[in-house]
Amino acid sequence: QSVLTQPPSASGTPGQRVTISCSGSSSNIGSNYVYWYQQLPGTAPKLLIYRNNQRPSGVPDRFSGSKSGTSASLAISGLRSEDEADYYCAAWDDSLSGRVVFGGGTKLTVL
Amino acid sequence: EVQLVQSGAEVKKPGESLRISCKGSGYSFTSYWISWVRQMPGKGLEWMGRIDPSDSYTNYSPSFQGHVTISADKSISTAYLQWSSLKASDTAMYYCARHEGFDYWGQGTLVTVSS
């Protein structure tokens, strides 16, 4: 079981807005930044959102992140077929001498 | 351009040792920690541990402590992940990634352990 909890799957039709949740605890999301990654099939993960809601250059503004308490969300608006991928959240966890923890991943299907 | 380039795929037998590498370029290698991340076939991402290349200080996930060793050679901007005795359960894709936030990733090294 992953320390951060994500739904295993999500789906939407082109143009729709979808959100992916990530639930943690006070030792990780509650006290540290949240990061989101996109992993297209057969490729390395790519940073999508850093420090809760910041987008690296080159990431479309259709992607946005938010955090409240011990939960975070990734929102994708104007869904496109190329958004079909696995999405992971991550955060630093202050327990056990410190470690990075990931969510189990959410497979997004564009119908 | 920042790049992390990993060594090629490996096929090993149980009990054998292995070291894979991750070479950084396009930035000051000693200014950013490097982490290693495991992805078993069809599964999610698991953080294994990290190293500060400036002084080789390491920090491991409890799940991997004692099973792998992370090291670095700052003179050649390269981080390493090594095993002294591989198991079939070590079969996975291994990625290196740069802190903070894993803004850059290596392309991955596929390790297959099979008798």
Side-chain angles (χ1 to χ4, degrees):
Chain A
Q1 291 87 335
S2 301
V3 174
L4 304 182
T5 301
Q6 296 180 236
S9 64
S11 64
T13 56
Q16 266 191 331
R17 181 178 187 270
V18 297
T19 60
I20 297 171
S21 61
C22 176
S23 177
S25 68
S26 58
S27 64
N28 42 68
I29 293 178
S31 52
N32 294 290
Y33 290 125
V34 177
Y35 299 81
W36 290 92
Y37 305 91
Q38 177 192 60
Q39 187 175 32
L40 297 169
T43 70
K46 168 191 169 184
L47 179 63
L48 212 54
I49 297 289
Y50 67 99
R51 295 192 178 186
N52 302 333
N53 55 18
Q54 303 299 302
R55 278 187 311 277
S57 60
V59 173
D61 60 6
R62 301 186 297 106
F63 295 90
S64 62
S66 64
K67 174 182 137 174
S68 178
T70 58
S71 294
S73 291
L74 172 71
I76 309 171
S77 60
L79 200 60
R80 297 184 171 188
S81 58
E82 57 260 39
D83 297 332
E84 187 160 293
D86 293 323
Y87 292 84
Y88 295 90
C89 60
W92 182 257
D93 188 290
D94 296 324
S95 65
L96 299 174
S97 302
R99 54 178 178 161
V100 174
V101 290
F102 283 100
T106 298
K107 181 171 182 57
L108 175 63
T109 301
V110 181
L111 302 170
Chain B
E1 179 194 6
V2 174
Q3 284 191 311
L4 294 175
V5 178
Q6 298 184 225
S7 49
E10 301 275 0
V11 179
K12 292 289 189 178
K13 290 180 166 50
E16 292 187 329
S17 63
L18 174 65
R19 188 177 76 167
I20 62 175
S21 66
C22 168
K23 183 174 176 60
S25 62
Y27 73 100
S28 173
F29 187 69
T30 54
S31 297
Y32 297 84
W33 292 66
I34 291 285
S35 271
W36 286 94
V37 176
R38 183 176 78 173
Q39 188 168 37
M40 300 179 76
K43 301 299 184 182
L45 305 173
E46 300 174 271
W47 182 73
M48 302 176 72
R50 62 176 184 165
I51 188 165
D52 180 350
S54 67
D55 62 6
S56 290
Y57 176 83
T58 53
N59 174 205
Y60 292 91
S61 163
S63 300
F64 293 92
Q65 179 89 47
H67 298 292
V68 297
T69 301
I70 296 172
S71 60
D73 184 340
K74 62 184 179 183
S75 70
I76 55 172
S77 301
T78 300
Y80 301 98
L81 177 65
Q82 69 180 67
W83 295 260
S84 59
S85 181
L86 286 161
K87 304 175 183 177
S89 56
D90 293 318
T91 294
M93 182 71 82
Y94 293 88
Y95 295 101
C96 61
R98 191 184 83 160
H99 288 252
E100 176 203 347
F102 301 162
D103 56 351
Y104 289 91
W105 293 69
Q107 82 277 19
T109 296
L110 180 62
V111 174
T112 303
V113 184
S114 174
S115 55

